[in-house]
Amino acid sequence: MKSAVLPQVRVEPELRNELEAVLHPGETLSEFVEASVRKAVEYRRVQTRFHQRGETAWENYQRTGVTVSADEVLERLQGKLDAKRRQLEG
């Protein structure tokens, strides 16, 4: 697959200077921009899935009227957290 080029983005000189000041040793501006774009795309994917799950839950509630109490949700989350801690401890 051929690689593609992202459009050039004009920024103020101050922003460019700030950006260059935070580059890691040996890191190029292009690498930084690519990594930033990848992170932003992943964030948007996660955000979209979150909203979709929320919409589905809302529609399910409207259809059934069934809810889960905040205490029950917190209890389930605590159980998952405890199980993960046990798994990581050995």
Side-chain angles (χ1 to χ4, degrees), residues 11-24 27-29 32-33 36:
V11 296
E12 297 174 354
E14 296 82 20
L15 178 58
R16 168 106 188 204
N17 291 337
E18 288 180 38
L19 191 143
E20 289 175 341
V22 300
L23 292 177
H24 293 149
E27 182 180 33
T28 67
L29 184 58
F32 179 89
V33 169
S36 298

Side-chain angles (χ1 to χ4, degrees), residues 10-65:
R10 294 203 179 276
V11 296
E12 297 174 354
E14 296 82 20
L15 178 58
R16 168 106 188 204
N17 291 337
E18 288 180 38
L19 191 143
E20 289 175 341
V22 300
L23 292 177
H24 293 149
E27 182 180 33
T28 67
L29 184 58
S30 294
E31 290 168 335
F32 179 89
V33 169
E34 181 184 356
S36 298
V37 169
R38 286 181 186 280
K39 289 176 186 173
V41 167
E42 180 57 23
Y43 175 80
R44 294 273 178 103
R45 281 189 188 129
V46 168
Q47 191 177 41
T48 298
R49 287 193 303 262
F50 175 81
H51 286 285
Q52 288 170 341
R53 286 192 313 272
E55 275 298 312
T56 300
W58 175 245
E59 289 167 3
N60 188 48
Y61 166 72
Q62 288 181 313
R63 192 176 61 257
T64 66

Side-chain angles (χ1 to χ4, degrees), residues 80-90:
K80 288 181 177 184
L81 181 60
D82 293 343
K84 191 62 165 179
R85 282 186 176 147
R86 284 191 300 274
Q87 178 188 6
L88 292 173
E89 289 173 353

